[in-house]
Structure formats: structure tokens, C-alpha cells
Amino acid sequence: MLSHESPPESLSFWHAQRRVVYRQKSSFDRTGARMSPSTPKKNRTSGRATASGRARKAPPGLSSPVADLPGVGPKVAEKLARLHIETVGDLLWHQPLRYEDRGTRQPLSPEHVGEAALFEVRINEVRPLFRGKARLVCQGVGEGPQGPVAVTIWFFGRFGPTPQAGRSYLLFGELQQGPHGLEMAQPELVAPNQIGQIRPVYPATEGIAQPKLRQLVEAAMEVAVRDLSDPLPGAIREARGWPSLMRALQRIHLPKRNDGVPARGEPALQRLITEELATHILALRQRRAVTRQVAAPAIPPRDHLFAQLLGHLGFTPTGAQQRVIGEIKTDLAQELPMLRLVQGDVGSGKTLVAAAAALDVIDAGYQVALMAPTALLAEQHARNFAQWFEPLGLSVLLLSGQQSAASRREGLAQLADGRAQIVIGTHALFQESVAFDQLGLVIVDEQHRFGVHQRLALTDKGASQDGGARRPHQLIMTATPIPRTLAMTQFADLDVSVIDELPPGRTPVTTVVVRADRRGEVIERISQVCAEGRQAYWVCPLIEEGQIEAQAAETTFAMLGEELPHLNIGMVHGRMKAAEKQREMARFKAGDYHLLVATTVIEVGVDVPNASLMIIENAERMGLAQLHQLRGRVGRGATDSHCVLLFDEPLSDRARARLRLMRETEDGFRLAEADLEQRGPGEVLGTRQAGIAKLKIADLQEDQGKLEEAGQLADELLARFPESVHPLITRWVGAAGQYGQV
Ligand code: ADP
Ligand code: MG
């Protein structure tokens, strides 16, 4: 097909290159021989020969260490481990990043700049270089859309045989626009028999190049022919038109040139993606079943402490709060551990709901632990709960990293002998040194800040404190409105309650979007608001290395101090000591400061109802979920509240759309859906999110549309083929069950 177009010279080049390939192969053999002296040395020219040649030794299986493959010594194995490849089977799940398509020859045209493709070039001049990094520069000419086009080709270091002037070559590489025209750097010289190949390009690591990875994956595919079983029953596959696992993997790793580049939409990929998502759902459900195998203390509903608390507070729970409290009480009354997620937008009053649950548990003689995502929030909750619970004669304990050793020791003693009825802290609460007398309920606030592993670790810690006889109930609270699709995979092990109503008397927050050069007017506005006895927040972008553009909190603090000399200004940022942050927050809450300059550390949970104005700098850089959380700090009192989103130009279309949506809606769910669409699940759930984020083939963002089907598949597998669940989880999530590990 190519012969009439390709001049005979290129064939002579092919022969030269072949020798190089051969030399490389034999060096692999040497490595292999060093590793396992019994491996017979052979002149192998393909992966196929490699596998058949090995047959007389005990052949490696998919669960054998990857070092059992020829060509993998300890050094290579170590590098592979960095790619999470430890067994031969792991190679099968090493998903290509993309494919190189050597099927279509492209014209030399600026249109293809930035693309890796196949170009035919006639070399006119070859010049060696001795300075700089390049070793060889060639001038060539290729066919452009409107006639011949010049191209400069650079070669660096070792590059195989030297191209020769007067000959034509097929070059595979990325076309670039140089200062004097089109260029290519270190292209691959493609032999005629390689044309049309579709080559997977794998995530690589230093010291392991693509050809090596490809060779190893091919070897693993040969092992798979003998050793791979399909965990999906035929009936399931046939109903969906899916290929077998072997065929699906062949399509990914060894695509045939006639079938084109594998696409996400085709059955092979669909099968793997849906299977993976379904398996994660199954793993969480299984984990739930395991958690619930251990009994929890049944807590009878008793309302008298909560009624007393409401009497002190002077408010009645909203209908939504009442409903959710009811759902929790039903769970608590069971001998099965409660596993409930309470979703409620910022300010919906989740703390009161948690308090209602805690009071019943304490009343029944058990202890409660509340875990907050930051020391600041732990401190705030502790203060809040002390105010609420101490008048009822209960003892509230704060455990924090900042405490003196003596007071921590004293706190631990109170927990161990049951004197402290509720303890509040960060994840440090679940360190080994913390022992409970009778832990009955674990409350996790703002769960999205913790990974799924951490969350699940809590119950295990709790249970072991109790001799393993009982597991505490679990209540998880989040202000992140979690789109249904995400909830399905991330929280498939939890029951969900939603507080979909705000306490009365809240006024909507008016949001305005303002260009940063109108800062003066905004500062004027702060002055007015504070003159009316209210308070304001000024949120600066996170102080982070490399964020040079971001105005550090200190700079802003100094600037505002100059502009607003008559106001008291406080500051909190992530680099301050926790105690210092807490002191500043407390002073702001007490009204000592008119204005608080803060980084996004105030994002979650901070509650100062008198604050009615929030200014957010560089709002264009933040995600919707984050902006929504920040904005939720105002509008907590009865006065009209405002949120000013300051932005710097230039503004991308996306950022513009985000800011517009912020102005249009306060509906957390709408914002979360939009965030999920634009920025992916990591943004919605918080960057520290673990668990499902480690998908092998599926991508929560790209494959959202598959989640529904994955849920159905999980149901069907559980109902009709329960025996397939374990093999699926072992394959996709890991032998130990990723979610089961602490
Ligand atoms: P979030 O759900 O964001 O954690 P909080 O629990 O901090 O919200 O509650 C926000 C504010 O609303 C607090 O000041 C709290 O005391 C108050 N609040 C909670 N429930 C009610 C209610 N039913 N009526 C009036 N105010 C309430
Ligand atoms: Mg809260």
C-alpha cells in the first residue's frame, strides 16, 4: 500500500534501524539472564517468542511478581512499583494515556502543529552540531497543503542511524512552529512495516521508556491468555453487548490498525468503565455490610435533655431538622450501627441535629466523639457545645494538638474513665492513645474534608476501644451538596438525610461581581457597614508557594489598615498557629474587630451572625463549591447581607460563567452540579478526598453518565451473581479491599 509512494531509500534505512532494535532486545536478554540465570538466552525478536520460550519453566501467572517476567530485574521492578505495578496482572490495568496513530500520513501544515503524527520528509541537508544539546540538524522538505514546505529536524544525543541527505523518510513526532518555520525534535524514523500501527502510550516513570512498558504489557497479555478469568458472567455481558474481559483488554493494549484508535464510547471501554464503577459501589456496600456485622448499642429515643436545650436556646427546630432528627433516632434505636450522612447547606443548622443525637446517646450512658476538619472548627464546636451542654450538667472535652501534655493527659484520663461525655477534636482524636470508656456515637463534621478511608477508620477505632463487642453509631455531616452521581459512588455505604430548609429569619445574600480596580468603592462600603454596627470579612486567596499573583493576607491587612484607620481589623491565615487563629476568631465573634482579613481557612463552619458583608478577592480562581462555602459565612443573621466577588482580568469564559452563576443562585446543589461539570469531583469533594479518586480506567467526570448504569449493574450482580462480587472487588479495588484498610 505504501510501496509506490515510498522511495527505496527508506527501505535501506529500515534495515539499518532493524539492527538497532535487535541490539536493544539482546540487551534485555542480558538483564533477564542476570536476574534469573536459568532463563535460557535466546535471540528474541518479538514478545510472542519471549512467552513461548519461557514455557518450559514454571510460567508466571497474573499474580506473580512482575519480576518474574523476563527483562525485569530489581531496578526495573522498583521503578514499576512507582507506577503501582507490582504483579504481572497489574500491567493489564495500566491504562494507556493516549494512542499514537501511525495510520495516517499528515501534510506538513501549521494546522498540525502540536500534534504527534506521521510526516513524510525528504532530507536535503544533514549537519552535525557540537555545541548545545542538539547533535544533528537536518533540513528537509515535505508536502504541504499548497506545495513543498521546509522543515528543520533536530536530533539529540543518541538517535540511531544518521539520516542521509537525498533520501526520504517517514517521521513520527510532534510538529512544532519554530522561529523560522516548521520544526520537529527527535522524531522517530518509522519503518514501512510499522505504518498503520496504533501504539498505546502509557503513563511512564523515569528510567522506563515506552517501548519497555509496551513490551511488558504485551508479555502480561500473553500470560493473561492462560490465566485471566472474566469476573462478569456471560449473561450480564451479552445483555449489554459487551466483549469478554480478554477482548476488552486486547482492544486497549493491542489495538488492531483496522479498528482505529480505541474510544471511550465503544463497548470494550464501556465494559471496563462500568465494571469498575460498579465494583466501587459494591466495595462500599460490602464494607457497609461488614461494619454492620458488629452490633451497636441500641439507644432508646428520649427527648428530655434536648427539650431542655431548646428551652435555653429559645428556638424550635425547623421541619427539616425535625425530620432528620427523627431519622437519626430511628437508626440509633437499632442494634445495628447507624451509617448516616446528613447533607445540609451552610447555615441549615446541622450542629443542632448533631446535638440532638448526642444528647440521646449521652442520656443512655454512652460517650460521643465529634471530629472536625480543622483545629479552628474543633475549637468553635467545643465552645458551642460547652455553652449548650454544660448547663445540662454534661462535661465537654476538647482534645487538640496545641494542648499542654499535662492537660492532654488529664483529658485522656477523663475519656477513658467516662467522666467526659463528649469529646471534640480533629482527626487526632482517633490516634491509638485515645481510649474511650463507652463510645456510642461518632460524629464527623464536614466529612468531605476527610477521605473515605479516614471516615471508615473511625468506627474501627471506636470498636476496638470497646473490646470489639460494640461498634459506635456514625453520623456524618456535610455542607457540600453532593450531586447524586457522586453520592452514589462516594457514599454508597451510607444512608442519606437532607436538611433542605434554612432556619427562619435568614435573608438572602446579594452577590455582586466587581472588577478589582474598583476596590476603592468596596472599601468605602466596608466603612458604611461597620458604621451601622455590623461586621465584614475580607477573604484573600490562599497563601501558597508559587502563587505570586495572589495577594498575601499580610499585604491586604496592611493596605486595609491604611485605608480604614478608624476600624479594628483582625487577621487569620493558614500560617498562623492554631491558638493564634482561634484568638483572632474569638475576638471577631465577640465584636472586637469590625473587619476580619482571612484566607480560605474560614471556609467551613465559622459562625458569626453579625457579619453581613463578605469580600472575596480573586474570586475568579476559586471553584463554585468553595465560593459557596465562603459566602455561607454571611447571611446568618437577620440583616441584609452582601457578598462582593472581586476579580482580576483577564477573565476566562469559564470563570466569567462561574461568577455569573454565583450571582444568580444560592442553591448549593445547582452550584455543586456546575462545579462537578467544570472542575471535576476533586473540586467538589475537596482535594484530600481519597478512595474512589483512585480509579484505574473510569473517570468520574468523564463517565458521570455511566454511574446510573453502574449502580444498576451492582444491584444486578448482588441479586443474581453474588459469587462474582468478591472477584470483582479483588480485581479492581485490591485484595485487601481498599476500603477496609485503616
Ligand atoms: P451549619 O449547618 O452550617 O453547620 P450551624 O449548625 O452552624 O449551621 O447553624 C447556623 C446557625 O443557625 C447557628 O447560629 C445556629 O445556632 C442557628 N440555628 C440552627 N438551627 C436553628 C433553628 N431551628 N432556628 C434558629 N436558628 C437556628
Ligand atoms: Mg457546621
Side-chain angles (χ1 to χ4, degrees), residues 315-318 321 345-352 388 503 506 607 636:
F315 50 63
T316 42
T318 61
Q321 281 172 320
D345 215 335
V346 281
S348 61
K350 292 183 290 293
T351 321
L352 190 70
W388 286 4
R506 297 283 163 79
D607 186 33
R636 304 195 138 225

Side-chain angles (χ1 to χ4, degrees), residues 344-347 349-351 377 380-381 445-446 477 479 604-607 633 636:
D345 215 335
V346 281
K350 292 183 290 293
T351 321
L377 280 179
Q380 181 180 289
H381 271 309
D445 193 18
E446 307 298 354
M477 305 194 293
V604 282
V606 170
D607 186 33
R633 303 305 108 216
R636 304 195 138 225

Side-chain angles (χ1 to χ4, degrees), residues 257-287:
R257 56 178 82 174
N258 291 337
D259 297 338
V261 172
R264 280 191 109 66
E266 64 184 76
L269 274 288
Q270 288 296 298
R271 176 212 149 122
L272 295 171
I273 289 165
T274 318
E275 176 183 333
E276 178 168 38
L277 292 173
T279 303
H280 278 270
I281 294 170
L282 286 169
L284 281 165
R285 288 204 192 146
Q286 191 185 53
R287 176 66 215 195

Side-chain angles (χ1 to χ4, degrees), residues 122-127 136-140 151 153 163-166:
R122 186 177 178 83
I123 302 293
N124 294 330
E125 189 195 335
V126 178
R127 205 152 36 90
L136 200 66
V137 60
C138 307
Q139 296 299 337
V151 59
I153 300 146
Q164 294 181 18

